[in-house]
Amino acid sequence: MTDLKKIISHAKEYGFVFPSSEIYEGLNAVYDYAQNGVLLKNNIRDYWWKAMIQLNKNIIGIDASILMHPTTWKASGHVDAFNDPLIDNKDSKKRYRADVLIEDYCAKIESKIEKEITKASKRFGADFDKSEFIKTNKRVLDYRLKINLILNRLGKSLEKEDLKDVKLLINELGIVCPISGSKNWTEVKQFNLMFGTKLGASSESANELFLRPETAQGIFVNFLNVQKTGRMKIPFGIAQTGKAFRNEIVARQFIFRMREFEQMEMQFFVTPGQQKFWYKKWKESRLKWHLSLGMGEENYRFHDHEKLAHYADLASDIEFKFPFGFKELEGIHSRTDFDLKNHEKFSGKKLQYFDPDKKENYVPYVIETSIGLDRMFLAVFSWSLHSEKLDDGSERIVLKIPEILAPIKVAILPLIKKDGLPEYAEKIFEDLKLNYNVIYDEKDAIGRRYRRQDAQGTPFCITVDHESLIDNCVTLRYRDSMKQERVETKKIIEILGSKLNYKSWLNKI
Ligand code: ATP
């Protein structure tokens, strides 16, 4: 997989992601989506929205506002408990998340396991049985045990808010600051991640507000409105996408961890006692959504949580193999009735469902699926970016974005800028633009134009040449295989339709 530096520079060079307010040196962990980036982002959001709302008759969507009544965040627990443990290195003056330092330490042990596996598979060749090796090899077992012990202890200490023990663990493991290389650490402290802001003009009367750190609460406070007006029967879901803000302590890794980002969340309301069943179902269903994009089953794994958030009774992440290793892409949480019950308590309003069959009221339990749109963008972008050596010895950079998500679907290219070819190509452009985002490009030699389209992920190129004016055929070129075929101009819509319709993609879910 391409390394992160190359990904960042490609994203900038080809108009996907720019640092925010770059002329002022940028703003840490805030990014802007450029001309191609916004299209890819919109397409990912659409793909999610269709899979959630269009394909499920019991899921409906809303769009709640970013600013909410401040009591929302007391009820949700974010005022008291939305903290990360931070630690400073006194020599480099760099700030870290204490839990991430420890997790990174474990990731290093994990890579030692990977090395053992690679070594052994080379030694045993075709006879190598990976799962047996993992179960029996002493070194691998020792490494695994060590990881488990560390993560268990970390989980327990964080749960008990025993920050002294987290510091002790960092000391015992001999973790050093990646910048200064020293072990000169401060104590571990809690840090609230919410951004504050003010409502109203005068500073005395202004109300202290927060920028929402998750979109979920906009769904919970609207639960009864939606259920009643939509006449929804349990089990049912409410979905929304939108911006969220977190004052992350360490915001590295490009758009993986941002201070302003977008979430795509769905809260699924179920009868108490049924949460395990639905939790399992949504885990499966979300994984299927990911796999439908064809980005390789081996690049996903579940990570079931030991340490649960204050609202959850079960939780798992879908992790994706990013350029810096397997990391959380999506969270699936069984949130119990924590949120609705607390909103009842703080608002004094009932947030209960009336079961028409049993003739009783109850507060439903909730299964949440929550994915970061920007993280999904990074997953797609990093997986897609390839540098390939061609037969003639040259190199091509290609973004093999799943076709349904590609920003521009088709480039229409007259071979030369005269002899009626541009006019013929324009006609195709005018026709296709009604279906897809297409571009017309007549600058530079055809080979360079193909490269330009490869680099921004356009799956199809249509080239018009002199023959086209006689036989009404064009050359259709495929991005991934670089295969070219001659097709009748009038068949283009049909051919593209078979590759770019949502039906064939969503059918896999
Ligand atoms: P992490 O452990 O990486 O901080 P989290 O467990 O706090 O993530 P959730 O609160 O479960 O994340 O949020 C759901 C999803 O929102 C995450 O799976 C991730 O895709 C996305 N997300 C969370 N924080 C950020 C961020 N700072 N930048 C970009 N995406 C984020």
Side-chain angles (χ1 to χ4, degrees), residues 28 97 151 164 182 252 338 341 383 396 416-417 464 502:
N28 207 348
R97 256 174 71 174
L151 291 182
K164 286 217 156 63
S182 92
R252 285 178 275 137
F338 175 89
K341 274 228 166 109
W383 177 83
R396 87 158 173 156
I416 53 169
K417 262 196 273 184
V464 174
Y502 272 106

Side-chain angles (χ1 to χ4, degrees), residues 245-443:
F245 302 81
R246 295 182 187 179
N247 198 1
E248 299 280 1
I249 298 171
V250 191
R252 285 178 275 137
Q253 299 167 326
F254 194 33
I255 54 171
F256 180 82
R257 190 174 300 288
M258 302 158 90
R259 296 203 164 103
E260 172 180 342
F261 59 101
E262 190 163 339
Q263 289 186 313
M264 307 190 284
E265 297 200 305
M266 193 278 300
Q267 312 293 328
F268 198 72
F269 299 91
V270 306
T271 313
Q274 302 261 303
Q275 67 269 29
K276 261 200 183 135
F277 170 83
W278 287 108
Y279 169 74
K280 196 165 158 265
K281 198 128 185 107
W282 276 109
K283 269 176 80 173
E284 283 162 14
S285 172
R286 292 304 303 147
L287 184 62
K288 269 198 189 162
W289 181 84
H290 286 284
L291 297 181
S292 73
L293 290 168
M295 301 202 300
E297 212 170 333
E298 69 286 359
N299 292 319
Y300 299 86
R301 70 181 189 196
F302 281 113
H303 167 232
D304 295 329
H305 282 216
E306 298 280 336
K307 180 197 172 233
L308 294 170
H310 58 276
Y311 50 75
D313 69 350
L314 286 165
S316 185
D317 298 334
I318 296 180
E319 295 187 335
F320 182 77
K321 198 167 181 193
F322 286 99
F324 33 83
F326 272 101
K327 293 272 179 222
E328 172 176 345
L329 171 58
E330 168 157 10
I332 295 142
H333 310 122
S334 170
R335 287 183 84 122
T336 67
D337 54 3
F338 175 89
D339 301 273
L340 289 179
K341 274 228 166 109
N342 268 357
H343 285 306
E344 278 198 324
K345 197 166 102 195
F346 279 80
S347 68
K349 310 261 165 39
K350 284 229 168 311
L351 288 175
Q352 301 192 355
Y353 172 73
F354 177 70
D355 187 325
D357 302 323
K358 291 192 192 136
K359 307 256 181 291
E360 63 181 28
N361 285 305
Y362 62 82
V363 178
Y365 268 45
V366 174
I367 306 300
E368 162 183 85
T369 72
S370 173
I371 173 168
L373 175 49
D374 314 85
R375 254 185 219 186
M376 184 62 196
F377 185 111
L378 182 59
V380 172
F381 198 85
S382 56
W383 177 83
S384 302
L385 186 59
H386 296 267
S387 148
E388 291 178 349
K389 266 247 161 338
L390 302 181
D391 290 343
D392 65 2
S394 66
E395 190 199 24
R396 87 158 173 156
I397 307 288
V398 53
L399 262 181
K400 296 184 173 175
I401 300 177
E403 288 89 336
I404 196 74
L405 301 181
I408 293 157
K409 304 291 190 229
V410 191
I412 298 138
L413 319 168
L415 192 60
I416 53 169
K417 262 196 273 184
K418 53 184 188 182
D419 302 340
L421 305 192
E423 290 75 9
Y424 193 99
E426 285 275 6
K427 257 205 238 144
I428 301 180
F429 174 85
E430 290 300 321
D431 191 26
L432 288 185
K433 79 174 187 193
L434 299 170
N435 284 291
Y436 308 111
N437 219 331
V438 294
I439 65 159
Y440 173 87
D441 185 6
E442 56 178 25
K443 281 183 237 85

